[in-house]
Amino acid sequence: MSRSKSAHDLSGLMKYADRAPWDEALAEMLSAHLDPASEATGLEPDAIFEIIGDHWQGPLWGCAFEDLLTQELEPDGRNLVDDYLKRRGWNEKAPNKAYMRALRDTVMSLYEVSEVVPGQSMTLRDLLRDVAPVTVREHGATQTLVNWDKIAARVVDVNGRHGISGALLPFSAEGAVRVVDAFSRLADETQDTAELDPSDRDALLGASGPMFTNMWLLDCLGKAMPGSAPDMVNADGDDLVFHRIVFPLAKGVVGKSLIRRLNAAQWLEPASDSFWNWLAPATKNKKPQATKGKRAFVTTMDDGTPVFANVELAGRKLIVEVNSAARAERAITGSCG
């Protein structure tokens, strides 16, 4: 199985993981990340990769490897990163050591992507924890991700600079809903145990790494096997189809003046100097209009206000992104009511 790439050199740490007792611990972690999906589908891992593509072997190995880096082995609480740096740290450059220590303290979570600047950065909103959105520096993933994409990833904080690790899993809209539901059930189930505090979501996520991998595999296999996953609709009951509408700025329109007008619009909530959430009018007691056999997918602000669209000013273009054909038509006419 090929191994995931990283902006930092983890080759020494990976090689060290082939030694006892870490080789056995890594094998067990790989089983935890692959076996449940294999058992649920009746497919061997090789058969799964034939369906979803062999190129996913590296990222999935990376998910298991990074998960191991955050764990402490019983009975003495040994950690792979600590053990490696203690014995081989003299051979590593300071930036690599800082990155390894930061990666050791991460958890995988589910994020909604916004404010994508291709090749530079993106903003991630945690869908499982009540924390502030974080802007991460990222080159590769921002070339393919777009606003409203859902990803499972680890945010790495190295001396105040945020990035993501090498293991990133892109979820479909319906797959993301399943992850949110599964994690909510996990939090409820831990209320009757003394092992984890259900209010400590970091601890829950720290123990839930395999959940993301297995649910991602099932999500991918559902996409590869038509009919196994329900169709998705938005809060209006419209089929979920993402649209990107580009409005070139007319000659003579000044960007700064447009920004002031956008900031003044009551229905727009600024998220940055060039990105706004277009808020939908709140309707009392209104519930998502899911139909039989379909799941409702709803995007909201942290306070629960529904989001109708995302608006971004990129150079001389105003870009509006919505999640249905009907909303696209309404966005073009300037009405979300």
Side-chain angles (χ1 to χ4, degrees):
M1 183 174 287
S2 62
R3 301 181 178 185
S4 61
K5 296 180 180 180
S6 170
H8 295 79
D9 185 4
L10 300 180
S11 58
L13 183 58
M14 291 177 180
K15 184 177 180 180
Y16 191 78
D18 290 334
R19 301 178 40 166
W22 304 111
D23 57 344
E24 182 177 345
L26 180 56
E28 292 177 355
M29 188 63 78
L30 279 168
S31 294
H33 279 257
L34 297 176
D35 287 357
S38 181
E39 294 173 2
T41 59
L43 298 171
E44 293 296 325
D46 287 346
I48 290 178
F49 288 118
E50 285 182 7
I51 296 173
I52 68 173
D54 289 338
H55 60 282
W56 283 112
Q57 293 189 30
L60 291 177
W61 186 94
C63 287
F65 178 69
E66 291 180 0
D67 199 4
L68 178 61
L69 299 184
T70 69
Q71 305 299 317
E72 296 180 351
L73 294 190
E74 298 294 344
D76 55 2
R78 293 178 67 186
N79 173 268
L80 174 54
V81 172
D82 293 341
D83 191 32
Y84 173 72
L85 292 179
K86 178 180 179 181
R87 299 175 185 275
R88 297 286 188 272
W90 55 269
N91 199 35
E92 290 286 352
K93 296 180 179 179
N96 282 339
K97 290 191 286 187
Y99 181 79
M100 291 176 192
R101 292 190 180 100
L103 187 56
R104 175 196 59 195
D105 296 330
T106 62
V107 296
M108 181 166 273
S109 192
L110 184 71
Y111 297 94
E112 181 178 71
V113 176
S114 66
E115 300 181 62
V116 178
V117 181
Q120 297 184 36
S121 65
M122 59 184 171
T123 297
L124 302 179
R125 182 171 74 92
D126 199 313
L127 300 178
L128 303 180
R129 294 177 292 179
D130 185 16
V131 295
V134 59
T135 298
V136 299
R137 297 188 179 186
E138 169 61 25
H139 176 74
T142 54
Q143 303 286 0
T144 55
L145 293 172
V146 298
N147 292 339
W148 291 358
D149 275 352
K150 308 296 186 296
I151 62 172
R154 294 177 182 270
V155 174
V156 187
D157 180 357
V158 182
N159 300 322
R161 298 181 64 177
H162 294 92
I164 58 173
S165 69
L168 180 153
L169 300 176
F171 276 85
S172 67
E174 59 268 26
V177 171
R178 293 192 190 100
V179 172
V180 173
D181 290 345
F183 188 73
S184 296
R185 290 195 301 272
L186 177 63
D188 291 340
E189 291 169 0
T190 58
Q191 291 180 355
D192 298 327
T193 71
E195 295 180 5
L196 292 173
D197 180 355
S199 65
D200 186 353
R201 296 218 157 194
D202 284 354
L204 287 175
L205 289 172
S208 302
M211 177 192 74
F212 292 98
T213 306
N214 283 283
M215 295 194 72
W216 179 84
L217 282 168
L218 295 175
D219 185 34
C220 281
L221 290 170
K223 286 296 183 183
M225 300 175 179
S228 59
D231 293 330
M232 298 294 296
V233 296
N234 65 9
D236 305 325
D238 302 325
D239 288 338
L240 204 66
V241 181
F242 292 95
H243 290 68
R244 182 181 176 90
I245 310 161
V246 179
F247 299 95
L249 299 190
K251 186 177 180 180
V253 174
V254 179
K256 290 184 179 180
S257 175
L258 177 59
I259 289 174
R260 286 195 296 269
R261 293 182 63 182
L262 293 172
N263 285 335
Q266 295 183 353
W267 60 89
L268 293 177
E269 178 70 27
S272 73
D273 292 338
S274 60
F275 189 91
W276 297 261
N277 288 294
W278 186 340
L279 306 182
T283 303
K284 188 175 182 181
N285 298 326
K286 181 179 179 180
K287 295 182 179 180
Q289 300 177 21
T291 57
K292 185 176 181 180
K294 298 186 178 183
R295 296 289 300 275
F297 178 78
V298 183
T299 301
T300 66
M301 301 291 288
D302 291 338
D303 63 359
T305 302
V307 176
F308 172 78
N310 286 153
V311 180
E312 181 180 9
L313 182 61
R316 297 289 299 172
K317 298 177 181 178
L318 187 67
I319 300 170
V320 179
E321 294 186 333
V322 294
N323 61 14
S324 75
R327 287 191 175 191
E329 293 180 5
R330 287 149 60 191
I332 291 172
T333 62
S335 172
C336 68

